[in-house]
Amino acid sequence: QLPAVPSPRALPPRAQLGYTTVPKFIELYTTGLPSKLEAPGTDPSTSLCTVLASEIGQLNEVIEVWRHGNGSSAMEASRAASRAAGPWRAAIAEIAGLATSFRTTVYKPTSFSVWK
């Protein structure tokens, strides 16, 4: 089991081109997020650190960074719980139509990281 690991998930690393793609993504994400955060079974050590959107470089990139303090088991429990959250599932179904790819990456913090 991993120690307190922040888990960046890129949703989506690449989205369809267009000026309205990222704002639509954020609108959908914002609508579904409360049900994901409050889903029964979510590990209490799981928290959303930030959601970022690119302005320069790779266009239409949105990255969410989650911290799963109890490691990979917390990540899996929280992901399973979110799948039962109706508003989140509806939002993700629409977000998937905006995406050209999705990626999940797990990182381990360095010894000098603020996340331990």
Side-chain angles (χ1 to χ4, degrees), residues 22-38 48 51 82 85-95:
V22 171
K24 181 65 175 172
F25 173 97
I26 298 299
E27 175 189 331
L28 293 165
Y29 190 93
T30 302
T31 300
L33 183 61
S35 70
K36 178 179 183 169
L37 295 173
E38 298 166 5
L48 177 62
V51 177
S82 71
W88 179 249
R89 287 181 62 129
I92 289 301
E94 289 192 56
I95 287 170

Side-chain angles (χ1 to χ4, degrees), residues 79-110:
R79 289 176 81 185
S82 71
R83 290 184 184 112
W88 179 249
R89 287 181 62 129
I92 289 301
E94 289 192 56
I95 287 170
L98 298 174
T100 60
S101 67
F102 289 89
R103 179 182 67 228
T104 298
T105 306
V106 176
Y107 293 97
K108 181 178 179 184
T110 62

